[in-house]
Amino acid sequence: MVEDREPGSECFDVEECTVENGGLRRRGVTVTLRCASEHDLDRVVMRSDTAYLTVPEVGLESPPGTARYTDLRTILVEARDRIETASVGFLSPSGASENAVQQFLAEFNQVISGVTPCTIVIDDPTGRSYFRKDNTLPPPNVSVRVYVRTANQNEELGIEADAAANLDEPLPIEDAVEKVKELIESSSRIAMFTGAGVSTESGVPAFRSSLPGHVSALWDRFDTSNACYQRFLEDEDSRIEHWDMHACLWDKLREATPNPAHRLAARLHDRHKLLSLVTQNIDGLHQAAGVPTEKVCELHGTMLSSHCLTCGHRVATETLLARRKPGDPAPHCGEAGCGGSLKPDTVSFGEALDPKLLLRARDDACKADLMLVMGTSLTVEPANELPALALRHGIPVVLVNQGETSMDHTVTLHVPAPCGEFASAVMHLLAW
């Protein structure tokens, strides 16, 4: 059973999505998931608007359409509903009868309900589709094949041969620097997205993991369960360790200074090219480098201030840590008649992000004409959705990160290099 659509209804728009090849790569990707239970259908997938989806067991072939970031079951249900209600979808070489269609739908419903094991194949010639990692679900049976697009596929996507050759990766660092220089020069609304890899080069410890030569990660030394918001609310010992962890971070932060990656953002602002800067970092080093506070979207909060959970009074974190020693009681609010627990303005596990900041970050990801992603492993949700969102809108995405990420083969340009070193080379070439 082939799922068909009326021409132009939800079809891939080459001119809208290529944008001078922004967001497209020379390499395509085929992702295969073997679903043995209904839980496998709960997995979230980024299916780009150039991806074909097939389920061989029931003969489903779904052509490219609107980009979707949702669970597999929803995608399958939507495909079933289109076939069930649109007579133009009932296509087969011999001409499908009503009984054959009903039999197909019955078999398809068995797949959707998880009764019948199946194989779901997503073939994306632009390489932008992927499965989201989810540690709450059993390990998936997933295979990924990366391939170089054929000349015919490039022609279908509206990419000329010379342009397609320039999309291959990885580029030598000097070529990547030149490419980013050209992208910056031709852009006027640049969105930056930075993670811990930018700050660790300034001596600020990361929470999750550290690279050789950098300060060891905080979670190598502290119990990660004490980073949970609910435990902070309920348990004094957790509050004490939470503050001990932040005190350790503060000791390093006091000595930290902005590095070239921070200064690149400031130079972009000075030249009226910076649309916004979204960061997962909590150290304020972007502002220290010269990026105005109103341009910085601190999704995970800031270490520089703290607030009372009872009355909302805010206080500089530095004043709370000035005389504090490890193991000291957690600080309390000094406002008259309050005495509530104080908490740093950083986002803990289980604590909601500011919805206004998240909306702003997503909005800017769609408005930009270039996204620079630096120093993030793209594992923390929902911030890690921003590069995929930009790509779906045809915006070139440059990813600079030393460790591997789930989008190394998806972004427009992946640069496996230290952020500061790369930023310094780019600024040198721009004569900034």
Side-chain angles (χ1 to χ4, degrees):
M1 179 67 64
V2 178
E3 180 200 349
D4 196 13
R5 295 199 179 98
E6 294 181 5
S9 59
E10 290 183 323
C11 295
F12 171 58
D13 186 333
V14 172
E15 291 186 1
E16 177 184 347
C17 295
T18 56
V19 189
E20 295 182 349
N21 300 325
L24 300 187
R25 306 174 61 84
R26 187 179 179 190
R27 295 181 184 272
V29 63
T30 300
V31 183
T32 303
L33 174 65
R34 293 166 183 83
C35 301
S37 71
E38 61 178 337
H39 298 298
D40 287 325
L41 296 177
D42 293 331
R43 298 194 176 278
V44 173
V45 62
M46 172 64 228
R47 182 192 178 191
S48 85
D49 46 14
T50 57
Y52 296 81
L53 182 143
T54 61
V55 182
E57 287 80 0
V58 294
L60 175 72
E61 299 179 10
S62 176
T66 303
R68 298 286 276 132
Y69 185 75
T70 187
D71 60 271
L72 283 168
R73 182 177 286 103
T74 298
I75 290 177
L76 294 181
V77 167
E78 290 174 348
R80 178 202 62 191
D81 291 346
R82 282 192 292 268
I83 291 172
E84 190 172 21
T85 59
S87 59
V88 294
F90 303 158
L91 302 176
S92 74
S94 60
S97 67
E98 183 68 19
N99 289 336
V101 171
Q102 293 305 319
Q103 181 181 351
F104 164 79
L105 291 174
E107 294 174 354
F108 198 4
N109 284 329
Q110 292 288 88
V111 168
I112 293 172
S113 63
V115 174
T116 302
C118 70
T119 304
I120 297 176
V121 182
I122 295 179
D123 181 36
D124 186 353
T126 65
R128 296 177 295 160
S129 297
Y130 61 90
F131 280 98
R132 189 186 74 183
K133 294 181 180 178
D134 190 340
N135 294 329
T136 67
L137 295 173
N141 189 353
V142 175
S143 62
V144 178
R145 181 178 69 89
V146 178
Y147 61 88
V148 177
R149 274 199 308 274
T150 65
N152 287 339
Q153 287 174 318
N154 283 326
E155 185 176 352
E156 290 175 1
L157 293 168
I159 303 175
E160 296 179 0
D162 291 343
N166 292 332
L167 297 174
D168 204 3
E169 57 85 28
L171 287 176
I173 295 298
E174 58 271 22
D175 292 343
V177 170
E178 177 66 35
K179 179 64 176 178
V180 173
K181 168 186 175 288
E182 294 172 359
L183 287 169
I184 289 176
E185 287 179 330
S186 62
S187 303
S188 59
R189 302 184 311 279
I190 300 175
M192 285 194 71
F193 174 34
T194 65
V198 169
S199 290
T200 54
E201 294 183 28
S202 288
V204 178
F207 280 89
R208 291 175 178 271
S209 60
S210 57
L211 293 168
H214 291 167
V215 182
S216 60
L218 288 171
W219 290 352
D220 293 339
R221 291 172 280 171
F222 294 93
D223 183 353
T224 58
S225 66
N226 291 315
C228 295
Y229 185 58
Q230 195 61 35
R231 290 199 62 175
F232 186 94
L233 297 178
E234 297 173 349
D235 184 64
E236 173 64 14
D237 288 339
S238 289
R239 287 193 288 272
I240 290 173
E241 176 146 334
H242 192 92
W243 275 101
D244 285 349
M245 180 173 62
H246 279 73
C248 179
L249 177 61
W250 185 258
D251 286 342
K252 297 295 183 181
L253 183 55
R254 287 185 304 176
E255 303 170 359
T257 57
N259 64 56
H262 298 107
R263 290 195 287 274
L264 174 59
R267 299 295 182 273
L268 290 173
H269 167 72
D270 292 343
R271 286 153 179 81
H272 308 289
K273 288 180 173 287
L274 184 67
L275 174 65
S276 67
L277 190 154
V278 177
T279 185
Q280 296 171 302
N281 299 331
I282 59 175
D283 47 47
L285 289 177
H286 284 299
Q287 293 92 321
V291 180
T293 300
E294 61 269 19
K295 284 286 183 78
V296 182
C297 182
E298 295 174 309
L299 278 185
H300 295 168
T302 176
M303 175 71 183
L304 304 185
S305 61
S306 300
H307 69 282
C308 174
L309 295 176
T310 301
C311 72
H313 177 69
R314 276 189 156 71
V315 60
T317 303
E318 183 176 16
T319 63
L320 301 174
L321 296 176
R323 297 188 181 88
R324 191 176 188 282
K325 297 178 181 178
D328 281 356
H332 289 78
C333 181
E335 290 293 284
C338 184
S341 295
L342 292 173
K343 180 185 179 299
D345 287 336
T346 54
V347 178
S348 302
F349 284 135
E351 186 176 6
L353 299 183
D354 184 331
K356 292 182 180 179
L357 290 181
L358 186 57
L359 180 62
R360 172 186 163 192
R362 287 170 171 163
D363 190 45
D364 287 341
C366 300
K367 290 179 178 177
D369 54 11
L370 172 64
M371 177 176 280
L372 298 180
V373 182
M374 305 187 77
T376 173
S377 60
L378 296 175
T379 58
V380 180
E381 298 178 356
N384 62 353
E385 300 173 3
L386 297 177
L389 183 60
L391 287 172
R392 290 207 302 271
H393 283 76
I395 298 164
V397 175
V398 176
L399 170 61
V400 184
N401 193 63
Q402 285 188 273
E404 292 184 359
T405 81
S406 61
M407 295 191 70
D408 288 354
H409 297 290
T410 307
V411 294
T412 312
L413 176 63
H414 171 227
V415 185
C419 298
E421 177 183 311
F422 186 77
S424 181
V426 170
M427 287 190 291
H428 177 76
L429 206 58
L430 287 165
W432 287 3

